[in-house]
Amino acid sequence: MGFRLPSSLIPQAKQLLKRSSGNASAVPKGHVAVYVGEFQRKRFVIPITYLNHLSFQQLLNRAEEEFGFDHPEGGLTIPCGEDAFIDLTSRLQSS
């Protein structure tokens, strides 16, 4: 199952991908790098399948509200605590 970006957001998404393409070789196929943390950001590489889960989509909505499509780290920034993110990804991994 995939997802579609509205056509008005495609140029912004392409720009974001170009900015983060320098690190693309460090991210395995089928994964995406995200930056997590409220103050100190830490980079995590997660499977793209996580993006389909409702709880992760709620985090993505918060990220959109807080950052729009201008993420300060050059990649997708998730506005939540590191412990909460690890807890969520652990639950997603076991399901």
Side-chain angles (χ1 to χ4, degrees):
M1 175 186 232
F3 63 95
R4 291 183 180 263
L5 288 174
S7 60
S8 63
L9 300 179
I10 290 175
Q12 294 163 333
K14 285 182 180 179
Q15 182 181 15
L16 178 63
L17 288 174
K18 285 180 185 176
R19 279 191 282 170
S20 61
S21 65
N23 295 334
S25 62
V27 179
K29 185 174 184 176
H31 291 72
V32 63
V34 296
Y35 294 88
V36 177
E38 295 173 342
F39 303 106
Q40 185 76 18
R41 308 254 191 254
K42 184 173 179 182
R43 185 176 187 254
F44 290 88
V45 177
I46 60 167
I48 59 171
T49 56
Y50 287 7
L51 302 176
N52 289 329
H53 291 274
L54 178 62
S55 50
F56 204 87
Q57 288 178 0
Q58 291 170 341
L59 282 178
L60 292 174
N61 287 335
R62 284 183 49 203
E64 181 184 8
E65 289 172 7
E66 188 165 328
F67 301 110
F69 289 96
D70 184 29
H71 294 269
E73 302 292 333
L76 182 59
T77 305
I78 305 293
C80 77
E82 187 178 328
D83 292 336
F85 183 79
I86 291 171
D87 179 58
L88 171 63
T89 56
S90 295
R91 285 186 281 127
L92 293 177
Q93 186 177 11
S94 64
S95 64

PDB file of all heavy atoms in Angstrom, residues 2-3 6 10-11 13-14 16 19 23 27-28 35 38 40-41 52 58 61 63 76-77 89-90 93:
ATOM      1  N   GLY A   2       0.652   2.149  -0.882  1.00  0.00           N
ATOM      2  CA  GLY A   2       1.437   3.361  -0.971  1.00  0.00           C
ATOM      3  C   GLY A   2       0.637   4.575  -0.561  1.00  0.00           C
ATOM      4  O   GLY A   2      -0.494   4.467  -0.104  1.00  0.00           O
ATOM      5  N   PHE A   3       1.241   5.716  -0.726  1.00  0.00           N
ATOM      6  CA  PHE A   3       0.523   6.947  -0.450  1.00  0.00           C
ATOM      7  C   PHE A   3       0.883   7.938  -1.542  1.00  0.00           C
ATOM      8  O   PHE A   3       1.898   7.820  -2.191  1.00  0.00           O
ATOM      9  CB  PHE A   3       0.848   7.505   0.937  1.00  0.00           C
ATOM     10  CG  PHE A   3       2.281   7.901   1.128  1.00  0.00           C
ATOM     11  CD1 PHE A   3       2.678   9.202   0.927  1.00  0.00           C
ATOM     12  CD2 PHE A   3       3.226   6.971   1.503  1.00  0.00           C
ATOM     13  CE1 PHE A   3       3.986   9.578   1.092  1.00  0.00           C
ATOM     14  CE2 PHE A   3       4.542   7.335   1.678  1.00  0.00           C
ATOM     15  CZ  PHE A   3       4.920   8.651   1.469  1.00  0.00           C
ATOM     16  N   PRO A   6      -0.226  15.258  -2.583  1.00  0.00           N
ATOM     17  CA  PRO A   6      -0.963  16.173  -3.444  1.00  0.00           C
ATOM     18  C   PRO A   6       0.012  16.823  -4.432  1.00  0.00           C
ATOM     19  O   PRO A   6       1.166  17.084  -4.099  1.00  0.00           O
ATOM     20  CB  PRO A   6      -1.535  17.203  -2.471  1.00  0.00           C
ATOM     21  CG  PRO A   6      -1.527  16.532  -1.144  1.00  0.00           C
ATOM     22  CD  PRO A   6      -0.384  15.573  -1.172  1.00  0.00           C
ATOM     23  N   ILE A  10       4.503  18.142  -4.475  1.00  0.00           N
ATOM     24  CA  ILE A  10       5.562  17.380  -5.131  1.00  0.00           C
ATOM     25  C   ILE A  10       6.844  18.200  -5.307  1.00  0.00           C
ATOM     26  O   ILE A  10       7.925  17.697  -5.006  1.00  0.00           O
ATOM     27  CB  ILE A  10       5.057  16.778  -6.455  1.00  0.00           C
ATOM     28  CG1 ILE A  10       4.044  15.668  -6.131  1.00  0.00           C
ATOM     29  CG2 ILE A  10       6.212  16.230  -7.287  1.00  0.00           C
ATOM     30  CD1 ILE A  10       3.367  15.062  -7.320  1.00  0.00           C
ATOM     31  N   PRO A  11       6.806  19.457  -5.759  1.00  0.00           N
ATOM     32  CA  PRO A  11       8.059  20.213  -5.884  1.00  0.00           C
ATOM     33  C   PRO A  11       8.792  20.354  -4.545  1.00  0.00           C
ATOM     34  O   PRO A  11      10.013  20.254  -4.499  1.00  0.00           O
ATOM     35  CB  PRO A  11       7.615  21.575  -6.418  1.00  0.00           C
ATOM     36  CG  PRO A  11       6.306  21.309  -7.084  1.00  0.00           C
ATOM     37  CD  PRO A  11       5.668  20.210  -6.290  1.00  0.00           C
ATOM     38  N   ALA A  13       8.625  18.273  -2.003  1.00  0.00           N
ATOM     39  CA  ALA A  13       9.152  16.957  -1.649  1.00  0.00           C
ATOM     40  C   ALA A  13      10.417  16.663  -2.445  1.00  0.00           C
ATOM     41  O   ALA A  13      11.382  16.120  -1.904  1.00  0.00           O
ATOM     42  CB  ALA A  13       8.097  15.888  -1.887  1.00  0.00           C
ATOM     43  N   LYS A  14      10.434  17.016  -3.720  1.00  0.00           N
ATOM     44  CA  LYS A  14      11.628  16.801  -4.546  1.00  0.00           C
ATOM     45  C   LYS A  14      12.805  17.608  -4.009  1.00  0.00           C
ATOM     46  O   LYS A  14      13.932  17.130  -3.961  1.00  0.00           O
ATOM     47  CB  LYS A  14      11.354  17.180  -5.993  1.00  0.00           C
ATOM     48  CG  LYS A  14      10.519  16.171  -6.739  1.00  0.00           C
ATOM     49  CD  LYS A  14      10.327  16.586  -8.181  1.00  0.00           C
ATOM     50  CE  LYS A  14       9.493  15.580  -8.936  1.00  0.00           C
ATOM     51  NZ  LYS A  14       9.268  15.984 -10.329  1.00  0.00           N
ATOM     52  N   LEU A  16      13.289  18.551  -0.932  1.00  0.00           N
ATOM     53  CA  LEU A  16      13.714  17.916   0.305  1.00  0.00           C
ATOM     54  C   LEU A  16      14.581  16.698   0.001  1.00  0.00           C
ATOM     55  O   LEU A  16      15.612  16.490   0.617  1.00  0.00           O
ATOM     56  CB  LEU A  16      12.502  17.500   1.143  1.00  0.00           C
ATOM     57  CG  LEU A  16      12.784  16.769   2.448  1.00  0.00           C
ATOM     58  CD1 LEU A  16      13.552  17.664   3.403  1.00  0.00           C
ATOM     59  CD2 LEU A  16      11.501  16.308   3.078  1.00  0.00           C
ATOM     60  N   ARG A  19      18.069  17.769  -1.094  1.00  0.00           N
ATOM     61  CA  ARG A  19      18.895  18.236   0.013  1.00  0.00           C
ATOM     62  C   ARG A  19      19.445  17.072   0.823  1.00  0.00           C
ATOM     63  O   ARG A  19      20.545  17.125   1.315  1.00  0.00           O
ATOM     64  CB  ARG A  19      18.101  19.154   0.941  1.00  0.00           C
ATOM     65  CG  ARG A  19      18.002  20.561   0.431  1.00  0.00           C
ATOM     66  CD  ARG A  19      17.464  21.449   1.497  1.00  0.00           C
ATOM     67  NE  ARG A  19      16.022  21.235   1.560  1.00  0.00           N
ATOM     68  CZ  ARG A  19      15.235  21.705   2.497  1.00  0.00           C
ATOM     69  NH1 ARG A  19      15.725  22.390   3.483  1.00  0.00           N
ATOM     70  NH2 ARG A  19      13.946  21.473   2.468  1.00  0.00           N
ATOM     71  N   ASN A  23      23.121  11.845   1.938  1.00  0.00           N
ATOM     72  CA  ASN A  23      23.120  10.747   2.902  1.00  0.00           C
ATOM     73  C   ASN A  23      22.377   9.526   2.383  1.00  0.00           C
ATOM     74  O   ASN A  23      22.232   8.552   3.104  1.00  0.00           O
ATOM     75  CB  ASN A  23      22.459  11.195   4.216  1.00  0.00           C
ATOM     76  CG  ASN A  23      23.251  12.279   4.907  1.00  0.00           C
ATOM     77  OD1 ASN A  23      24.441  12.388   4.730  1.00  0.00           O
ATOM     78  ND2 ASN A  23      22.566  13.094   5.690  1.00  0.00           N
ATOM     79  N   VAL A  27      21.344   5.024   3.740  1.00  0.00           N
ATOM     80  CA  VAL A  27      20.012   4.516   4.060  1.00  0.00           C
ATOM     81  C   VAL A  27      19.712   3.330   3.153  1.00  0.00           C
ATOM     82  O   VAL A  27      19.678   3.472   1.937  1.00  0.00           O
ATOM     83  CB  VAL A  27      18.938   5.620   3.871  1.00  0.00           C
ATOM     84  CG1 VAL A  27      17.555   5.077   4.173  1.00  0.00           C
ATOM     85  CG2 VAL A  27      19.252   6.816   4.751  1.00  0.00           C
ATOM     86  N   PRO A  28      19.491   2.145   3.740  1.00  0.00           N
ATOM     87  CA  PRO A  28      19.208   0.974   2.905  1.00  0.00           C
ATOM     88  C   PRO A  28      17.903   1.128   2.130  1.00  0.00           C
ATOM     89  O   PRO A  28      16.998   1.859   2.546  1.00  0.00           O
ATOM     90  CB  PRO A  28      19.084  -0.171   3.907  1.00  0.00           C
ATOM     91  CG  PRO A  28      19.560   0.353   5.207  1.00  0.00           C
ATOM     92  CD  PRO A  28      19.506   1.839   5.149  1.00  0.00           C
ATOM     93  N   TYR A  35      14.736  12.306  11.840  1.00  0.00           N
ATOM     94  CA  TYR A  35      15.404  12.939  12.974  1.00  0.00           C
ATOM     95  C   TYR A  35      14.378  13.112  14.074  1.00  0.00           C
ATOM     96  O   TYR A  35      13.295  13.634  13.843  1.00  0.00           O
ATOM     97  CB  TYR A  35      16.007  14.285  12.561  1.00  0.00           C
ATOM     98  CG  TYR A  35      17.119  14.111  11.556  1.00  0.00           C
ATOM     99  CD1 TYR A  35      16.844  14.068  10.195  1.00  0.00           C
ATOM    100  CD2 TYR A  35      18.433  13.933  11.977  1.00  0.00           C
ATOM    101  CE1 TYR A  35      17.858  13.876   9.271  1.00  0.00           C
ATOM    102  CE2 TYR A  35      19.448  13.739  11.062  1.00  0.00           C
ATOM    103  CZ  TYR A  35      19.154  13.714   9.710  1.00  0.00           C
ATOM    104  OH  TYR A  35      20.159  13.513   8.798  1.00  0.00           O
ATOM    105  N   GLU A  38      13.071  16.508  20.785  1.00  0.00           N
ATOM    106  CA  GLU A  38      12.460  17.823  20.946  1.00  0.00           C
ATOM    107  C   GLU A  38      13.508  18.931  20.957  1.00  0.00           C
ATOM    108  O   GLU A  38      13.260  20.024  20.490  1.00  0.00           O
ATOM    109  CB  GLU A  38      11.610  17.827  22.210  1.00  0.00           C
ATOM    110  CG  GLU A  38      10.435  16.865  22.091  1.00  0.00           C
ATOM    111  CD  GLU A  38       9.665  16.697  23.376  1.00  0.00           C
ATOM    112  OE1 GLU A  38      10.189  17.039  24.450  1.00  0.00           O
ATOM    113  OE2 GLU A  38       8.529  16.207  23.295  1.00  0.00           O
ATOM    114  N   GLN A  40      17.534  18.040  21.232  1.00  0.00           N
ATOM    115  CA  GLN A  40      18.679  17.403  20.593  1.00  0.00           C
ATOM    116  C   GLN A  40      18.144  16.350  19.632  1.00  0.00           C
ATOM    117  O   GLN A  40      17.471  15.419  20.048  1.00  0.00           O
ATOM    118  CB  GLN A  40      19.570  16.751  21.665  1.00  0.00           C
ATOM    119  CG  GLN A  40      20.840  16.176  21.135  1.00  0.00           C
ATOM    120  CD  GLN A  40      21.874  17.253  20.821  1.00  0.00           C
ATOM    121  OE1 GLN A  40      21.774  18.369  21.289  1.00  0.00           O
ATOM    122  NE2 GLN A  40      22.847  16.901  20.015  1.00  0.00           N
ATOM    123  N   ARG A  41      18.410  16.475  18.361  1.00  0.00           N
ATOM    124  CA  ARG A  41      17.884  15.550  17.353  1.00  0.00           C
ATOM    125  C   ARG A  41      18.831  14.374  17.149  1.00  0.00           C
ATOM    126  O   ARG A  41      20.047  14.549  17.070  1.00  0.00           O
ATOM    127  CB  ARG A  41      17.687  16.253  16.024  1.00  0.00           C
ATOM    128  CG  ARG A  41      16.879  17.538  16.131  1.00  0.00           C
ATOM    129  CD  ARG A  41      15.496  17.376  15.601  1.00  0.00           C
ATOM    130  NE  ARG A  41      14.841  18.665  15.468  1.00  0.00           N
ATOM    131  CZ  ARG A  41      13.896  19.075  16.298  1.00  0.00           C
ATOM    132  NH1 ARG A  41      13.520  18.324  17.291  1.00  0.00           N
ATOM    133  NH2 ARG A  41      13.322  20.245  16.123  1.00  0.00           N
ATOM    134  N   ASN A  52       2.862   3.594   7.094  1.00  0.00           N
ATOM    135  CA  ASN A  52       1.460   3.223   6.882  1.00  0.00           C
ATOM    136  C   ASN A  52       0.682   3.055   8.178  1.00  0.00           C
ATOM    137  O   ASN A  52      -0.537   2.994   8.151  1.00  0.00           O
ATOM    138  CB  ASN A  52       1.368   1.915   6.083  1.00  0.00           C
ATOM    139  CG  ASN A  52       1.789   2.103   4.643  1.00  0.00           C
ATOM    140  OD1 ASN A  52       1.609   3.166   4.074  1.00  0.00           O
ATOM    141  ND2 ASN A  52       2.359   1.074   4.071  1.00  0.00           N
ATOM    142  N   GLN A  58       0.074   9.820  12.708  1.00  0.00           N
ATOM    143  CA  GLN A  58      -0.233  10.908  13.633  1.00  0.00           C
ATOM    144  C   GLN A  58       1.024  11.733  13.918  1.00  0.00           C
ATOM    145  O   GLN A  58       0.973  12.961  13.993  1.00  0.00           O
ATOM    146  CB  GLN A  58      -0.839  10.354  14.920  1.00  0.00           C
ATOM    147  CG  GLN A  58      -2.222   9.787  14.719  1.00  0.00           C
ATOM    148  CD  GLN A  58      -2.736   9.013  15.918  1.00  0.00           C
ATOM    149  OE1 GLN A  58      -1.967   8.590  16.786  1.00  0.00           O
ATOM    150  NE2 GLN A  58      -4.050   8.816  15.969  1.00  0.00           N
ATOM    151  N   ASN A  61       1.651  13.918  10.932  1.00  0.00           N
ATOM    152  CA  ASN A  61       0.762  15.087  10.940  1.00  0.00           C
ATOM    153  C   ASN A  61       1.296  16.163  11.880  1.00  0.00           C
ATOM    154  O   ASN A  61       1.261  17.352  11.554  1.00  0.00           O
ATOM    155  CB  ASN A  61      -0.660  14.694  11.323  1.00  0.00           C
ATOM    156  CG  ASN A  61      -1.364  13.940  10.228  1.00  0.00           C
ATOM    157  OD1 ASN A  61      -1.033  14.069   9.054  1.00  0.00           O
ATOM    158  ND2 ASN A  61      -2.331  13.119  10.596  1.00  0.00           N
ATOM    159  N   ALA A  63       4.424  16.578  12.642  1.00  0.00           N
ATOM    160  CA  ALA A  63       5.612  17.124  11.985  1.00  0.00           C
ATOM    161  C   ALA A  63       5.219  18.158  10.936  1.00  0.00           C
ATOM    162  O   ALA A  63       5.856  19.209  10.817  1.00  0.00           O
ATOM    163  CB  ALA A  63       6.419  15.999  11.350  1.00  0.00           C
ATOM    164  N   LEU A  76      13.440  14.376   7.260  1.00  0.00           N
ATOM    165  CA  LEU A  76      12.169  14.378   7.982  1.00  0.00           C
ATOM    166  C   LEU A  76      12.420  14.462   9.480  1.00  0.00           C
ATOM    167  O   LEU A  76      13.121  13.627  10.049  1.00  0.00           O
ATOM    168  CB  LEU A  76      11.386  13.108   7.641  1.00  0.00           C
ATOM    169  CG  LEU A  76      10.016  12.965   8.270  1.00  0.00           C
ATOM    170  CD1 LEU A  76       9.112  14.123   7.877  1.00  0.00           C
ATOM    171  CD2 LEU A  76       9.402  11.647   7.865  1.00  0.00           C
ATOM    172  N   THR A  77      11.861  15.482  10.128  1.00  0.00           N
ATOM    173  CA  THR A  77      12.028  15.688  11.568  1.00  0.00           C
ATOM    174  C   THR A  77      10.721  15.362  12.271  1.00  0.00           C
ATOM    175  O   THR A  77       9.673  15.884  11.898  1.00  0.00           O
ATOM    176  CB  THR A  77      12.443  17.142  11.862  1.00  0.00           C
ATOM    177  OG1 THR A  77      13.612  17.440  11.113  1.00  0.00           O
ATOM    178  CG2 THR A  77      12.719  17.342  13.335  1.00  0.00           C
ATOM    179  N   THR A  89       8.330   2.619  17.727  1.00  0.00           N
ATOM    180  CA  THR A  89       8.940   1.764  16.723  1.00  0.00           C
ATOM    181  C   THR A  89       9.105   0.342  17.228  1.00  0.00           C
ATOM    182  O   THR A  89       8.996  -0.621  16.445  1.00  0.00           O
ATOM    183  CB  THR A  89      10.290   2.325  16.235  1.00  0.00           C
ATOM    184  OG1 THR A  89      11.157   2.531  17.348  1.00  0.00           O
ATOM    185  CG2 THR A  89      10.101   3.604  15.465  1.00  0.00           C
ATOM    186  N   SER A  90       9.313   0.166  18.520  1.00  0.00           N
ATOM    187  CA  SER A  90       9.400  -1.188  19.088  1.00  0.00           C
ATOM    188  C   SER A  90       8.047  -1.900  18.959  1.00  0.00           C
ATOM    189  O   SER A  90       8.001  -3.088  18.624  1.00  0.00           O
ATOM    190  CB  SER A  90       9.806  -1.138  20.550  1.00  0.00           C
ATOM    191  OG  SER A  90      11.101  -0.615  20.678  1.00  0.00           O
ATOM    192  N   GLN A  93       7.496  -2.804  15.308  1.00  0.00           N
ATOM    193  CA  GLN A  93       8.360  -3.905  14.900  1.00  0.00           C
ATOM    194  C   GLN A  93       7.798  -5.242  15.361  1.00  0.00           C
ATOM    195  O   GLN A  93       7.879  -6.228  14.636  1.00  0.00           O
ATOM    196  CB  GLN A  93       9.763  -3.715  15.467  1.00  0.00           C
ATOM    197  CG  GLN A  93      10.755  -4.725  14.991  1.00  0.00           C
ATOM    198  CD  GLN A  93      12.149  -4.443  15.518  1.00  0.00           C
ATOM    199  OE1 GLN A  93      12.337  -3.612  16.404  1.00  0.00           O
ATOM    200  NE2 GLN A  93      13.130  -5.102  14.962  1.00  0.00           N
TER     201      GLN A  93
END
